[in-house]
Amino acid sequence: MSLPRLLAGVRDDRPLSLAEHLAIHGSAPAAGPELFDALDDAGLRGRGGASFPTGVKLRSVAARRGSKTVLVNGAEGEPMSSKDRVLLRCAPHLVLDGALAAAAAVGARAVVVAVPRDAPRALDALHGAVAERPDARHVTIAPVPVAYLAGEETALIRYLDGASLKPTTSPPLPFERGLRRRPTLVQNPETLAHLALILRHGSDWFREVGTLGHPGSAMVTVCGAVERPGVQEIALGSPLDNVLLHAGGPSDHLRAVLVGGFHGTWIPPAALPTVTLDDEGLAWHGASLAAGVVVALDVAACPVQEVAQTMAWLEGQSAHQCGPCSNGLPAIAGELARVAAGYDDGHGLARIERWGGLVARRGACRLPDGAVRFLRSALEVFPLEFAEHARRGPCRACARPLTLSVPASFSTVAA
Amino acid sequence: MTARIRVDPIACSGHGLCAELLPERIELDEWGYPIVDGEPIPPDLLAHAREAAAACPKLALRLTAERRA
Ligand SMILES: Cc1cc2nc3c(=O)[nH]c(=O)nc-3n(C[C@H](O)[C@H](O)[C@H](O)COP(=O)(O)O)c2cc1C
Ligand code: SF4
Ligand code: SF4
């Protein structure tokens, strides 16, 4: 089977019924511990952002004693991403197949699916799908806040356990102590959908698409300055140029392309023809696919304004519970606003660099690390633009509507 | 056995006491929060490291001992 795999048979943006799903994919064989080897051989890595080997994670949960849970992390807190919402509302049975197979293989009884509150169609599709199948009695569907941290696994677990949406200190990691303090397998819905197909067709089939280092297909959200923004299923290793063309092509000349969303890396135009979308290919450019958000920034946009506003927004999404993050991110955001406005004493950019170094890798979660990666890459790719703003203040493009935008449904502060 | 120090960033409130007790390995950032490098603590500093961990009012400083593989 070629592409699409996960979205096979999907038409009109409506959920596939159980009958349609079975007609397209066939029924899944029972899953046991042999699934771990299949996942290792397939080389499946998590599609929620961290690219962690899925087989390794399943094994570590399987090795724990006691009752366990599978948590499907459909929170999709990355503001410009819609691939998980699309997958949940169009192919809910494939995700449930994956979740139930993972549960069987690791010895978990309960399955919880977290879905953002602003995704009523995904919620309806899942409720419909659960009602259609007798094997989904232990599946719970949990609407969760729309916030960046909603998808951070420890914050999500704490929230689902009835407390606030704030990360917890690890260790212990969720596989050791997660929902209701039980070992918990946390996976992105797309990861589980791939798992469901690997269970059916095997690891060689999975590797027919993608690269040796990053096999399979991936769901990406292509947005910004393209003619037809939306979600695509691509072969990993696809040239970035082709993926932009599939989205109708750039709607304008491009200033840069952001790969990896608000934790991502900027690719300058000169590098565009050589970029392939797989973790090894992107590593050449200091980037990774993360959750698969690709944003085209057109030439008329002001990168300084985009970055300053995004950093201010990310600062607002912090849970403000670790010293370096809750002091450093506001300091950086404030200084960036001054640089963008031209109120700079000549040392603003140096301070931003220093604070970036103090914030990264010192929090309970990786929100500050991602924010700093995004910031540093911007300073590297747009040095002249930052220096110009620091000296002369706003440019003509500063007042344009932002390309890096956040849906209105997002909580302004961590809920 | 290799001992390392770790800070629980949520529990730590930036008292800075630890940096006074173990200046060889802990410095404070400009907001008063400890910077630790995660490198093994040499045997001659172990006693000081234990003292710093015990003195932390938030129990945020931990001395972790790992058996060498
Ligand atoms: C700030 C932050 C936000 C995150 N948001 C998401 C998210 O929206 N969806 C997701 O699946 N993983 C998200 N993650 C990663 C999860 O913590 C976790 O690694 C992932 O759900 C594991 O699933 P996977 O291995 O299938 O990718 C986020 C991590 C961080 C640090
Ligand atoms: S690093 Fe920042 S966002 Fe993460 S838990 Fe600490 S304060 Fe919250
Ligand atoms: S003594 Fe404890 S609370 Fe104070 S700065 Fe050190 S680790 Fe943080």
Side-chain angles (χ1 to χ4, degrees):
Chain A
M1 196 200 285
S2 56
L3 293 183
R5 287 174 166 184
L6 306 184
L7 294 179
V10 169
R11 269 172 294 121
D12 312 327
D13 206 10
R14 64 171 182 82
L16 294 171
S17 68
L18 183 59
E20 290 169 320
H21 165 73
L22 290 174
I24 293 159
H25 297 290
S27 56
E34 62 294 335
L35 177 63
F36 307 148
D37 286 335
L39 293 172
D40 292 347
D41 294 344
L44 178 63
R45 299 211 296 264
R47 301 300 166 75
S51 228
F52 189 83
T54 307
V56 174
K57 208 194 275 184
L58 263 76
R59 277 180 213 280
S60 59
V61 176
R64 311 296 295 188
R65 266 187 261 247
S67 75
K68 304 161 200 168
T69 305
V70 171
L71 172 55
V72 184
N73 183 358
E76 195 161 47
E78 185 67 48
M80 300 184 84
S81 181
S82 33
K83 59 118 179 163
D84 293 330
R85 286 169 175 82
V86 166
L87 191 62
L88 289 170
R89 74 172 181 247
C90 295
H93 284 291
L94 195 58
V95 177
L96 289 176
D97 276 357
L100 293 167
V106 303
R109 256 207 301 172
V111 172
V112 178
V113 189
V115 184
R117 273 192 201 131
D118 70 347
R121 288 198 290 160
L123 281 163
D124 287 350
L126 274 167
H127 279 292
V130 166
E132 267 187 299
R133 49 199 290 171
D135 59 346
R137 270 192 306 275
H138 299 293
V139 176
T140 317
I141 298 159
V144 298
V146 185
Y148 210 95
L149 281 176
E152 199 284 327
E153 54 190 9
T154 66
L156 178 61
I157 285 168
R158 185 162 163 182
Y159 172 81
L160 291 172
D161 274 342
S164 55
L165 185 67
K166 291 180 176 177
T168 54
T169 304
S170 38
L173 284 162
F175 84 89
E176 299 161 310
R177 193 202 286 174
L179 276 172
R180 276 175 255 107
R181 307 168 71 86
R182 304 293 192 176
T184 301
L185 175 74
V186 185
Q187 302 288 179
N188 179 267
E190 184 193 338
T191 313
L192 293 168
H194 288 295
L195 179 152
L197 293 182
I198 291 168
L199 179 64
R200 285 176 168 85
H201 308 300
S203 52
D204 290 342
W205 167 86
F206 185 73
R207 286 182 169 278
E208 282 168 17
V209 158
T211 66
L212 199 58
H214 204 178
S217 63
M219 305 267 290
V220 296
T221 311
V222 185
C223 48
V226 288
E227 293 291 346
R228 287 193 305 276
V231 171
Q232 301 175 26
E233 185 176 350
I234 63 162
L236 284 164
S238 298
L240 177 53
D241 269 350
N242 283 6
V243 173
L244 292 174
L245 275 179
H246 265 281
S251 55
D252 200 339
H253 292 295
L254 297 185
R255 183 65 156 268
V257 175
L258 176 67
V259 176
F262 284 18
H263 278 178
T265 303
W266 293 95
I267 311 279
L272 284 182
T274 61
V275 176
T276 58
L277 294 181
D278 58 285
D279 278 347
E280 280 69 22
L282 285 164
W284 286 96
H285 304 273
S288 68
L289 191 57
V293 176
V294 174
V295 191
L297 188 70
D298 70 79
V299 266
C302 172
V304 175
Q305 199 59 235
E306 300 278 351
V307 170
Q309 302 266 0
T310 301
M311 288 300 291
W313 184 82
L314 282 168
E315 186 271 313
Q317 294 290 307
S318 156
H320 294 282
Q321 52 176 357
C322 310
C325 179
S326 42
N327 287 281
L329 289 186
I332 291 170
E335 196 71 57
L336 272 172
R338 278 190 290 282
V339 164
Y343 301 125
D344 179 42
D345 62 3
H347 305 289
L349 290 170
R351 274 194 292 273
I352 289 169
E353 272 288 344
R354 189 179 77 238
W355 288 331
L358 287 177
V359 162
R361 286 186 307 282
R362 290 180 65 212
C365 82
R366 300 217 163 108
L367 181 142
D369 310 19
V372 167
R373 179 182 324 126
F374 166 84
L375 169 70
R376 285 198 167 138
S377 140
L379 294 171
E380 217 170 276
V381 171
F382 310 113
L384 297 177
E385 289 86 343
F386 277 96
E388 275 293 297
H389 280 73
R391 255 200 313 273
R392 299 199 190 154
C395 65
R396 266 180 301 167
C398 276
R400 274 175 45 109
L402 295 173
T403 301
L404 299 189
S405 59
V406 175
S409 50
F410 263 80
S411 320
T412 38
V413 289
Chain B
M1 297 265 273
T2 332
R4 295 167 207 270
I5 39 175
R6 288 177 48 98
V7 177
D8 174 343
I10 296 177
C12 169
S13 59
H15 284 83
L17 195 59
C18 53
E20 276 170 46
L21 294 172
L22 194 62
E24 297 86 350
R25 298 308 292 273
I26 301 179
E27 78 180 292
L28 299 181
D29 67 19
E30 53 199 88
W31 307 293
Y33 292 89
I35 302 175
V36 303
D37 57 14
E39 292 296 310
I41 302 290
D44 57 317
L45 280 180
L46 260 181
H48 290 292
R50 276 198 200 100
E51 198 190 340
C56 169
K58 298 286 177 180
L59 303 179
L61 195 72
R62 296 191 193 137
L63 198 63
T64 62
E66 297 155 18
R67 227 170 271 283
R68 225 174 254 158

